[in-house]
Amino acid sequence: MAWNGGDLEKLEVLQNRVGRLALGAPKWTAAEALRGDLGWSLFSERMVKAVLNYKVRIERMENKRWVKRIFEWNLSESL
């Protein structure tokens, strides 16, 4: 599923609302404070981390795997 900036912003607003509810914090509490207290990160940060983890996973695959072969082909074609 592809997420655009507007979707991520809506998810952040909803996450902040849930965080305020969970902590009993007023609506003017900074979102950074909520994320820090709850140990949460931004959705965009989680997406970048997931993409990087997947890339590392592909790079460590055996060369005979289709996913790795397609990844390497795509990488060589983009240069």
Side-chain angles (χ1 to χ4, degrees):
M1 175 177 236
W3 297 90
N4 63 33
D7 293 336
L8 292 176
E9 181 63 30
K10 289 176 186 176
L11 288 171
E12 294 297 339
V13 169
L14 181 61
Q15 178 177 278
N16 293 340
R17 192 176 303 160
V18 170
R20 284 187 181 89
L21 182 64
L23 295 175
K27 62 182 178 181
W28 59 81
T29 304
E32 293 80 8
L34 296 171
R35 285 195 303 272
D37 286 352
L38 294 168
W40 290 348
S41 58
L42 293 171
F43 279 95
S44 57
E45 292 169 351
R46 281 181 257 172
M47 285 182 53
V48 168
K49 185 177 178 182
V51 167
L52 289 174
N53 284 336
Y54 187 63
K55 184 177 184 291
V56 168
R57 185 175 155 206
I58 290 173
E59 289 175 347
R60 292 181 178 170
M61 281 182 182
E62 297 177 12
N63 288 331
K64 65 181 181 179
R65 300 280 307 267
W66 278 103
V67 173
K68 177 141 186 188
R69 292 167 69 182
I70 292 169
F71 174 78
E72 289 178 346
W73 173 81
N74 192 25
L75 189 62
S76 68
E77 290 295 314
S78 65
L79 297 178

